[in-house]
Amino acid sequence: MKAIIPVAGVGTRLRPHTFSHPKVLLNVAGKPIIGHIMDKLIDAGIDEAIVIVGYLGNMVEDWLKAHYKIKFTFVNQPERLGLAHAIWMCRPYVTPDEPLLIILGDTIFDVDLNPVLKSPHSTLGVKEVEDPRRFGVAVMGEGKIAKLVEKPDTPISNLAIVGLYFLLHAGPLFERIEHLIDENITTKGEYQLTDALELMIEDGETFTAFPVQGWYDCGKPETLLSTNEILLQKQPSARQFHGCIINEPVFIADTATIENSIIGPNTTIGWQAVIKDAIVENSIVGNYARVSQIMLDHSIIGNNAVISGNPQSVNIGDYSEIRVG
Ligand code: UTP
């Protein structure tokens, strides 16, 4: 079965890191965000991926081709007109009768996809949230979805659509998206996938919902760090380093150098990074970064960045250099 993975976005909320890297290649718990997603898809038997790329798309393409052997089709979305528009770009590569899994490229899920892919109906991943105004939401009725609303102004449901969609047949979705585009129907300025799916529901298609407990957003610095923490807790670590204290959970790349330092908890250290005379906790340190004589907490250090000096919490991009004191 094919999966469609939209990753054309600019990732503005994760600047400065996304000035030089697409969001989905940012390292969380030792792997790019999209690597976590690909591993889940391949475990579930997905053998073909259509990846919608735009901003820094070549980097995504190169990384995926270098790391996975499944069939990829890369589709360029030149203008970022919304998720429905992104999906619509894939229509030459999908036949109307085939089932489709759509999974956002910047959200990591902890869910067993096997029953989802065998669902007798189209089905959407949902999770209860406190403030649903930022999301598309599903209103349930009689065991199926009665209505979908994108970013509701009034509280109509607290079941957020998490970005995991299984469509029994691709054709009806593409027809509804085409309708949105032809009639220029947008919500909050974008062609919304939620609106296309709502049209399908209004036309009588049955959609069920499946609960997604593990839903880890990577879209902002604070959520990238909290996702890093949650994922590290799920995976075994760690090497010991002579003269250092390693407070698990941590991911330390096997080519990183750690000297006279305390690392962790909840910390990822990238490839060829050098940490010397430092304390680094609850942080992500990029590849080739150099960190010395400093205490870092809740920090994201870009690739090749250099930082030394007083204790702090920082968020610095690739190739930045900060030396304090
Ligand atoms: P987001 O709006 O959350 O991601 O879209 P973004 O645009 O990358 O980040 P910000 O808002 O600027 O910080 C959710 C997912 O849908 C994709 C994005 O790449 C992301 O994976 N998307 C969204 C597209 O591929 N095309 C679109 O037109 C819209």
Side-chain angles (χ1 to χ4, degrees), residues 6-14 23-24 52 77 79-83 85-86 104-106 190 219:
V7 300
V10 174
T12 44
R13 290 166 297 159
L14 270 171
K23 172 164 62 175
V24 296
I52 302 144
Q77 186 194 20
E79 282 182 289
R80 194 180 169 284
L81 300 178
L83 200 49
H85 178 262
L104 297 190
D106 62 349
E190 294 191 357

Side-chain angles (χ1 to χ4, degrees), residues 28-40:
V28 56
K31 219 187 287 182
I33 296 166
I34 199 165
H36 292 277
I37 295 164
M38 288 305 300
D39 291 347
K40 267 261 166 247

Side-chain angles (χ1 to χ4, degrees), residues 211-238:
V212 177
Q213 291 314 328
W215 174 30
Y216 310 125
D217 179 40
C218 299
K220 301 181 282 182
E222 58 273 26
T223 57
L224 192 70
L225 287 174
S226 59
T227 296
N228 184 53
E229 176 176 340
I230 292 164
L231 296 181
L232 284 174
Q233 279 161 8
K234 290 172 187 280
Q235 65 190 41
S237 38

Side-chain angles (χ1 to χ4, degrees), residues 70 124 135 314:
I70 65 166
L124 310 183
F135 307 100
V314 292

Side-chain angles (χ1 to χ4, degrees), residues 247-318:
N247 293 321
E248 297 193 30
V250 298
F251 171 86
I252 301 177
D254 53 12
T255 52
T257 303
I258 315 289
E259 284 176 26
N260 192 34
S261 294
I262 302 176
I263 308 293
N266 310 321
T267 295
T268 291
I269 309 285
W271 283 266
Q272 310 280 2
V274 178
I275 316 289
K276 213 168 161 186
D277 307 319
I279 301 174
V280 185
E281 52 191 38
N282 306 306
S283 296
I284 298 175
V285 176
N287 303 336
Y288 299 93
R290 280 179 289 144
V291 174
S292 62
Q293 293 172 328
I294 193 167
M295 185 195 155
L296 291 177
D297 188 9
H298 286 95
S299 297
I300 305 175
I301 309 297
N303 298 324
N304 298 85
V306 179
I307 183 159
S308 64
N310 299 331
Q312 44 221 299
S313 167
V314 292
N315 182 14
I316 61 168
D318 296 353

